[in-house]
Amino acid sequence: MSAITRSLLKLRPLGGFQGLVGTQSARSAGNWNKDWKPGKYPVTPEERAAAARKYGLRPDEYEPYPDDGLGFGDYPKLPVVSAEARDPYRDWDHPEHRRDFGEPIHASADMYGLDRIDDTQKPRFSLNDQALSFFGVMAAFFAAYFYLNDNKMHWPVLPKQYPEEGKTHYTFEPAE
Amino acid sequence: MAGGTANVDVVKERAAVRAAIKKEFQKQVTNPHRHGSAEGGVLFDPAVQRFMSMRATRYDHFKPTPRSSLIGIAMLAVPILGYGWWMKTSRENFEAKCRTGQVAYADREFKFA
């Protein structure tokens, strides 16, 4: 681990491996949430710059979520790009996620994985087309059901002639 | 990563940093002496760790504002309590109707046998 930090101190301080400076050798006590969780919402420009550096972003492209009670502290608000929308032929470090090592992860990234939704691209069929197709087909099925339900069609038949006391259905007289 | 700027220098700088991180990743992932890091062979990624810790500690940044409280009530309290109330009252009304004779046994939906 220390080999990584030594080799990376040559890099500009822009996050990524820089975060490993805090971790020591294999004998460390592990990675605790209290060390890696996002900090308070940054207010002053210095706090914002420090937070941007921590997440590996430039200060001018760092933007935290608004602090309205449903925010994430100083976690950056990254532009959401679904995994499916990313170049499938690029040389990713983790091709199953289409993500490079050290790339900051979007706050809702598990929703935008390869097996989940992708609403960051232009949809193949517009929402209007989708709605029209669905409701059109369902309306056709409902119309067919309600029409045929009240107009049952079958061969012309008479009521079944069950034997009962006092009822004569057939008298066997010869045809004249 | 972030969109919006067409500044060539910025793009180049970002690409250089990305390339350096990529090169270092390949070096560490193929490092034959890394087996003793007690991490199961997976190279520790600070971005992933920060994401997981953020997910685990979201409540630290929660504040009960009118909007957040309304969302909680509308999405949690109202459906759960409303469904329970509807179940109770609908069954109670049906039971009362059956017991006071307003619904004959032949007409009820759920018979006993």
Side-chain angles (χ1 to χ4, degrees):
Chain A
M1 271 304 176
S2 49
I4 300 175
T5 62
R6 258 186 278 121
S7 61
L8 280 166
L9 284 171
K10 298 184 207 123
L11 272 184
R12 308 188 45 161
L14 277 185
F17 277 93
Q18 200 67 14
L20 287 169
V21 170
T23 65
Q24 296 305 315
S25 66
R27 290 169 221 84
S28 73
N31 300 299
W32 291 81
N33 280 338
K34 65 174 168 59
D35 300 325
W36 295 97
K37 67 177 187 174
K40 276 182 355 44
Y41 181 82
V43 182
T44 68
E46 296 84 28
E47 285 176 359
R48 286 181 73 98
R53 208 175 316 123
K54 175 171 78 165
Y55 290 106
L57 301 170
R58 300 169 53 93
D60 58 348
E61 65 189 26
Y62 168 77
E63 187 202 338
Y65 283 88
D67 189 24
D68 59 351
L70 296 167
F72 300 85
D74 66 3
Y75 203 84
K77 188 181 198 178
L78 304 156
V80 55
V81 182
S82 165
E84 202 177 322
R86 300 181 186 212
D87 186 359
Y89 299 110
R90 196 170 120 181
D91 178 25
W92 302 101
D93 291 335
H94 301 296
E96 64 276 7
H97 302 124
R98 295 201 186 153
R99 180 187 160 264
D100 283 323
F101 182 89
E103 183 185 326
I105 302 181
H106 189 268
S108 314
D110 53 350
M111 186 167 88
Y112 291 106
L114 269 179
D115 56 339
R116 300 268 177 101
I117 69 170
D118 171 26
D119 65 346
T120 63
Q121 283 179 314
K122 182 162 174 278
R124 190 172 155 195
F125 301 101
S126 72
L127 279 180
N128 266 348
D129 289 346
Q130 293 178 30
L132 205 60
S133 312
F134 173 71
F135 289 116
V137 166
M138 295 309 285
F141 282 138
F142 272 103
Y145 170 77
F146 284 118
Y147 175 69
L148 295 170
N149 208 28
D150 295 335
N151 302 293
K152 292 195 168 58
M153 304 162 205
H154 47 74
W155 292 110
V157 292
L158 291 170
K160 258 200 176 322
Q161 297 172 339
Y162 291 112
E164 268 181 26
E165 297 287 334
K167 256 207 196 165
T168 316
H169 297 293
Y170 195 65
T171 52
F172 296 97
E173 280 161 8
E176 289 300 350
Chain B
M1 300 212 289
T5 174
N7 194 346
V8 177
D9 295 333
V10 167
V11 170
K12 280 190 185 160
E13 184 191 324
R14 276 200 220 121
V17 171
R18 254 207 319 265
I21 295 180
K22 239 177 166 21
K23 184 165 170 209
E24 195 56 36
F25 169 71
Q26 283 301 325
K27 206 162 131 187
Q28 290 308 324
V29 127
T30 53
N31 182 2
H33 303 294
R34 207 171 47 84
H35 56 265
S37 68
E39 279 174 353
V42 178
L43 186 59
F44 177 76
D45 190 346
V48 172
Q49 180 62 53
R50 276 190 213 103
F51 172 79
M52 303 303 283
S53 299
M54 178 271 289
R55 280 301 183 94
T57 57
R58 267 192 80 171
Y59 182 59
D60 297 349
H61 305 284
F62 173 75
K63 283 192 307 238
T65 67
R67 179 166 170 258
S68 66
S69 313
L70 205 62
I71 289 177
I73 291 174
M75 305 277 283
L76 293 172
V78 162
I80 297 174
L81 298 173
Y83 186 51
W85 171 86
W86 174 77
M87 273 198 293
K88 180 172 192 294
T89 55
S90 73
R91 292 309 298 169
E92 271 180 357
N93 290 345
F94 177 69
E95 182 73 17
K97 273 210 213 135
C98 287
R99 284 188 187 263
T100 58
Q102 292 168 32
V103 178
Y105 184 77
D107 298 335
R108 49 184 294 175
E109 279 183 15
F110 300 105
K111 301 184 171 44
F112 287 109

